[in-house]
Amino acid sequence: MTSLSDIRSTFLDFYARAGHEIVASSPLVPRNDPTLMFTNSGMVQFKNVFTGMETRAVRRATTAQKCVRAGGKHNDLDNVGYTARHHTFFEMLGNFSFGDYFKDEAIPFAWELLTRDFGLNRDRLLVTVYHTDDEAAQIWKKVAGLTDDRIIRIPTNDNFWMMGPTGPCGPCTEIFYDHGPGIWGGPPGSAEEDGDRFIEIWNLVFMQFEQFEDGTRRDLSARSIDTGMGLERIGALLQGKHDNYDTDLMRALIEASAHATSADPDGPGKIHHRVIADHLRSTSFLIADGVMPSNEGRGYVLRRIMRRAMRHAHMLGAADPVMHRLVPALVRQMGAAYPELVRAEALIAETLRLEETRFRQTLERGLRLLDDEMARIPEGADLPGEAAFRLYDTYGFPLDLTQDALRERGRAVDVAGFDAAMTAQRAKARAAWAGSGEAQDARIWFDLAERHGATEFLGYDTERAEGVIHALVQGGAEAGSAARDDEVLVVVNQTPF
Ligand code: GLY
């Protein structure tokens, strides 16, 4: 069986032979985009190269990029463990051209790698193109000999890739694998496209435009290529599996979880092991990249993921903290490709151990409260927001942990009620502060924190970073601008200071 590690190096070596520099994955906390919570695709580290703001000595690059999709625009957290292909952490394999080659080389590269180096059956492959992109359709016909029915034109944003509301973007072509009529599902663009028969394996983006906040676009001065292929997906395909969690790497983590909890990896606790395996990866890589658990911003997303995994370990009957004991298995699997994991191994294990020790002190009591509340409310009713808020505030249960716990019972949380309870508590904190005799002007910090969230500290990991200026404060009040020699406080969304 070809391991995920081998597939990763086959991909990188293929593009290296074609003149691409193998560039290391960038950190999960983007340095060059202060608006993005986590790096969520391979192109993030090259964003400014595509727009022309930054130049690089090489015009071809290839990466295996660490990505986290949890919190923010791309959020896969809720589905993890329950489906075959959702992850909070995954690796994206990509090749990039910065004003060098375009469609006519990107498509043959991809076809050659898939059908020759990876040995995929060409009769199983089909593609989509943006509905107006005749050029891409022609290249597919010429290079791969695909017939018209296997080049599907899609008129929606599914085939127009944008990194976010602003930034570089362009039409794309996606490559799909057909698992055959034995599996339910229809081709892309059909009503049954969400089935499991046709699986998207690779997205090739033809970067041609830059989109601005007001919705306008300009042509990029250099047309470029950005591609993204999930290693876990192509790995499952090449290993003859239908589920990403059955690949060698994920399976090793599931086995480690089974060993640490003495619970059958394929028994009734199967979902718990899957959640633990996924969350072990995202939490460990986030800690290695300088994120620490906290109650705000990125640190809170990390805490949410950690605690969620810890509840699943508890469900497996683990009497003691488990997560930190799984770190060596992860380092064995991924440490060679990501040396930062090896360097941070002790910190990761200790952070997980401390958090799990602390959380276990309230976890059981919180779960009992949840049981009591559920017994009290009518069949099928949502958990009242008040109760979910008490679980959050007193027992340290992030909202999505409570939702996850209820999902197993087919119930939901009254989220509006939860938000109302949160707002009421904030108002109480503000009133208490106002009455505490502190300087009146300190109230401005509550206003700013409520409007913008807390400033995130990046100094664990970097001494340089970009930030968005949220406010200038002068003499206890917000100022619209500042002039030379003015003394102002500058409030940014993130800073290493
Ligand atoms: N940037 C290409 C992708 O994420 O699919």
Side-chain angles (χ1 to χ4, degrees):
M1 181 171 67
T2 316
S3 68
L4 258 61
S5 289
D6 289 340
I7 297 168
R8 189 193 298 112
S9 20
T10 301
F11 183 96
L12 296 174
D13 292 345
F14 174 88
Y15 280 103
R17 283 197 305 276
H20 295 63
E21 182 188 354
I22 300 178
V23 176
S25 170
S26 64
L28 285 166
V29 177
R31 302 281 165 74
N32 60 349
D33 189 337
T35 62
L36 199 59
M37 181 156 262
F38 297 121
T39 300
N40 57 14
S41 64
M43 59 78 64
V44 169
Q45 67 168 314
F46 304 119
K47 181 185 144 192
N48 293 338
V49 186
F50 287 126
T51 58
M53 256 168 67
E54 188 187 318
T55 48
R56 288 181 81 97
V58 289
R59 297 172 70 201
R60 296 177 176 207
T62 182
T63 61
Q65 174 67 48
K66 303 176 279 188
C67 297
V68 163
R69 291 191 179 174
K73 182 167 175 258
H74 297 285
N75 184 4
D76 289 342
L77 185 59
D78 292 343
N79 291 315
V80 169
Y82 301 93
T83 67
R85 279 176 287 279
H86 279 100
H87 304 275
T88 55
F89 175 94
F90 65 97
E91 292 175 76
M92 190 178 274
L93 303 171
N95 58 291
F96 306 91
S97 147
F98 311 118
D100 187 5
Y101 62 86
F102 201 45
K103 297 177 198 186
D104 52 345
E105 278 194 75
I107 290 175
F109 276 148
W111 187 254
E112 188 183 332
L113 175 62
L114 290 179
T115 57
R116 197 197 63 190
D117 298 60
F118 286 160
L120 287 180
N121 179 349
R122 53 183 63 217
D123 296 333
R124 294 274 184 169
L125 297 171
L126 64 156
V127 302
T128 58
V129 296
Y130 194 52
H131 64 136
T132 52
D133 196 351
D134 295 330
E135 195 188 352
Q138 278 309 323
I139 297 171
W140 275 120
K141 254 189 214 173
K142 196 171 108 205
V143 168
L146 294 180
T147 45
D148 282 333
D149 59 319
R150 285 166 62 209
I151 304 175
I152 301 169
R153 289 172 185 259
I154 301 281
T156 66
N157 280 351
D158 280 350
N159 276 71
F160 193 95
W161 199 85
M162 303 173 70
M163 72 165 288
T166 61
C169 55
C172 57
T173 182
E174 294 187 322
I175 305 171
F176 286 74
Y177 186 85
D178 178 3
H179 282 281
I183 293 178
W184 183 81
S190 71
E192 299 83 30
E193 67 177 2
D194 288 336
D196 270 352
R197 175 172 168 183
F198 296 89
I199 299 296
E200 183 214 322
I201 51 174
W202 202 348
N203 184 17
L204 318 183
V205 184
F206 310 128
M207 288 291 192
Q208 263 171 279
F209 309 107
E210 181 174 8
Q211 169 124 348
F212 300 99
E213 237 159 65
D214 61 5
T216 57
R217 280 185 197 149
R218 76 164 172 110
D219 286 336
L220 291 177
S221 53
R223 297 191 305 177
S224 295
I225 292 293
D226 151 38
T227 85
M229 169 156 67
L231 174 61
E232 297 73 10
R233 269 190 195 204
I234 188 73
L237 191 56
L238 295 179
Q239 293 182 2
K241 311 286 185 197
H242 208 68
D243 188 317
N244 293 2
Y245 289 82
D246 290 334
T247 54
D248 64 312
L249 195 162
M250 297 307 288
R251 188 67 196 173
L253 302 181
I254 286 171
E255 301 275 356
S257 165
H259 182 73
T261 55
S262 307
D264 182 354
D266 304 306
K270 187 175 165 179
I271 286 179
H272 304 313
H273 291 302
R274 293 159 69 92
V275 174
I276 289 169
D278 172 86
H279 291 9
L280 173 70
R281 295 212 303 169
S282 46
T283 55
S284 301
F285 275 97
L286 284 170
I287 296 167
D289 279 348
V291 183
M292 296 304 271
S294 78
N295 288 332
E296 294 281 349
R298 296 184 178 109
Y300 192 55
V301 177
L302 169 63
R303 172 161 282 163
R304 281 164 51 202
I305 302 173
M306 284 172 129
R307 292 195 168 183
R308 200 179 164 116
M310 289 161 189
R311 185 185 75 84
H312 283 276
H314 180 263
M315 301 287 286
L316 288 168
D320 297 306
V322 168
M323 294 300 287
H324 70 285
R325 291 170 52 205
L326 309 181
V327 177
L330 176 65
V331 173
R332 261 194 311 277
Q333 289 298 319
M334 301 188 72
Y338 299 97
E340 64 272 34
L341 210 53
V342 182
R343 286 195 297 271
E345 182 171 355
L347 174 72
I348 297 166
E350 188 56 10
T351 308
L352 284 168
R353 194 185 63 76
L354 278 176
E355 181 81 6
E356 196 163 359
T357 305
R358 182 150 15 122
F359 184 47
R360 287 182 73 93
Q361 289 164 6
T362 55
L363 176 64
E364 233 163 276
R365 277 186 291 141
L367 290 173
R368 262 202 306 276
L369 175 100
L370 188 60
D371 284 340
D372 293 348
E373 290 287 339
M374 294 313 287
R376 205 172 319 160
I377 61 176
E379 185 94 0
D382 288 353
L383 178 76
E386 255 310 316
F389 184 72
R390 198 140 31 96
L391 284 167
Y392 162 81
D393 199 35
T394 312
Y395 300 98
F397 279 36
L399 175 62
D400 53 63
L401 185 153
T402 305
Q403 289 170 317
D404 190 42
L406 290 178
R407 177 183 179 138
E408 290 148 18
R409 312 174 194 199
R411 303 284 196 97
V413 176
D414 166 19
V415 176
F418 176 88
D419 290 341
M422 176 79 92
T423 307
Q425 206 218 34
R426 285 209 181 115
K428 240 165 63 190
R430 177 199 279 263
W433 175 267
S436 71
E438 298 278 353
Q440 266 301 319
D441 65 8
R443 197 180 291 188
I444 189 171
W445 304 115
F446 278 98
D447 292 337
L448 290 174
E450 240 166 62
R451 235 182 306 141
H452 302 295
T455 297
E456 287 200 40
F457 179 59
L458 302 180
Y460 294 121
D461 195 49
T462 180
E463 291 169 359
R464 289 172 70 96
E466 289 183 30
V468 175
I469 297 179
H470 279 328
L472 302 175
V473 178
Q474 193 168 28
E478 260 189 275
S481 62
R484 179 188 283 266
D485 295 333
D486 282 355
E487 262 191 35
V488 292
L489 294 165
V490 181
V491 181
V492 288
N493 71 330
Q494 56 180 23
T495 172
F497 293 113

